Each structure stands twice: as structure tokens, then as C-alpha cells.
Amino acid sequence: MTSDLDLHTQHPAILVVQDNRFLREMICDWLGGAGYIVHAAGDASDALAWLNHRRFDLVLLELDLPRNDGMSLLRSVESKLSGTPMVVLTGSVTYDDLLASVPAEVPYVKVGKPYSFFALGLVVKAALDGSQRGRPPGSGSQASARR
């Protein structure tokens, strides 16, 4: 039997934080089909529960969350995210606001909306490849991918 630890080393684990159920399921299905271990959170509370439960290789975070926005989530979990790359999905937060809010030790890439799954896949792969090499994946960089 394969343990969670064995799976974690063979296939990167990704936490998808997205409040739109349809989009969350599409992203999770798509990432799962690509061989990643995917866990989903529909809001900040769910995300906090997952981050308290396990460590992830990547967090895909929608910043425009209801009730407790993604920026607040970032501030509340910075110690759990230390060194974990993030792909931040947003259409409303400026790059300067994001730069000021993300802890320095959290490597991240901002992907502007709208984005394509192909472009998102390239960013996810680059972020995971960079973290496995010990380099921040475009730390503080901004990527805009159009459909």
C-alpha cells in the first residue's frame, strides 16, 4: 500500500483555493488528470483547514474570495506557506498591492484574469520545477495569460 508520504514525493500536491464551484472543479479535474494530487477549498476557512492538515508543493489561490478575502488568508498563513510556491489568480488586485501583502519568503506568480488552462498549466509546471531546484519560481513576478 502506498502511503501519503510516498504519493507526495512521486506526485506534487496542489491546494486549489477557488470559491466558484464550477471553476474549482474544472481546475481540480484538469490538474488531477495531469497527475497531480489535488485538494480543493471553496473559501478561506477550508483553505486554512487544509494548510493546518498538510504541506503542499503548490497553492493555487483565487484572491477574490467571499467573507475572508485571499489577501487576509495570505497574511494569516504566512508561516505555513514559507517556501511553498503560489500561483495567485486575480483580476482585481494590483501588482503593487500583492507585492506589499505576500510575505517575502513565499515565492509567487500572479496570473491575471482571464487565463487559459494551457497558460495556467505552464505557470504551475514552472513554479513546481523551480521549487524542486531550490529556486523561487518567478518570485514576485507577474504573468498575464489571455484566453
Side-chain angles (χ1 to χ4, degrees):
M1 178 171 202
T2 306
S3 73
D4 188 38
L5 182 60
D6 294 334
L7 286 174
H8 184 70
T9 58
Q10 293 174 3
H11 302 284
I14 299 175
L15 175 62
V16 175
V17 184
Q18 170 58 253
D19 63 315
N20 180 302
R21 186 176 137 237
F22 177 73
L23 187 54
R24 181 176 62 245
E25 288 175 0
M26 281 182 43
I27 293 170
C28 289
D29 288 347
W30 177 73
L31 290 170
Y36 299 110
I37 298 168
V38 184
H39 298 281
D43 58 29
S45 296
D46 289 346
L48 284 170
W50 274 114
L51 290 166
N52 284 326
H53 178 70
R54 70 166 297 160
R55 183 129 172 94
F56 291 90
D57 297 298
L58 179 79
V59 175
L60 194 95
L61 174 65
E62 166 66 52
L63 283 187
D64 303 320
L65 296 172
R67 294 180 299 277
N68 183 357
D69 67 273
M71 297 292 258
S72 298
L73 176 63
L74 277 174
R75 286 186 216 99
S76 65
V77 298
E78 65 183 77
S79 65
K80 292 174 183 17
L81 292 174
S82 181
T84 302
M86 291 185 45
V87 174
V88 178
L89 306 172
T90 184
S92 62
V93 177
T94 68
Y95 181 68
D96 290 336
D97 290 340
L98 188 58
L99 188 60
S101 298
V102 177
E105 62 277 1
V106 177
Y108 71 93
V109 177
K110 175 186 172 193
V111 176
K113 293 179 185 175
Y115 53 86
S116 71
F117 280 110
F118 176 76
L120 185 58
L122 293 175
V123 172
V124 165
K125 184 174 178 354
L128 289 167
D129 288 349
S131 70
Q132 289 172 356
R133 290 188 200 110
R135 291 191 324 239
S139 182
S141 69
Q142 181 174 357
S144 288
R146 299 272 176 201
R147 282 189 243 206

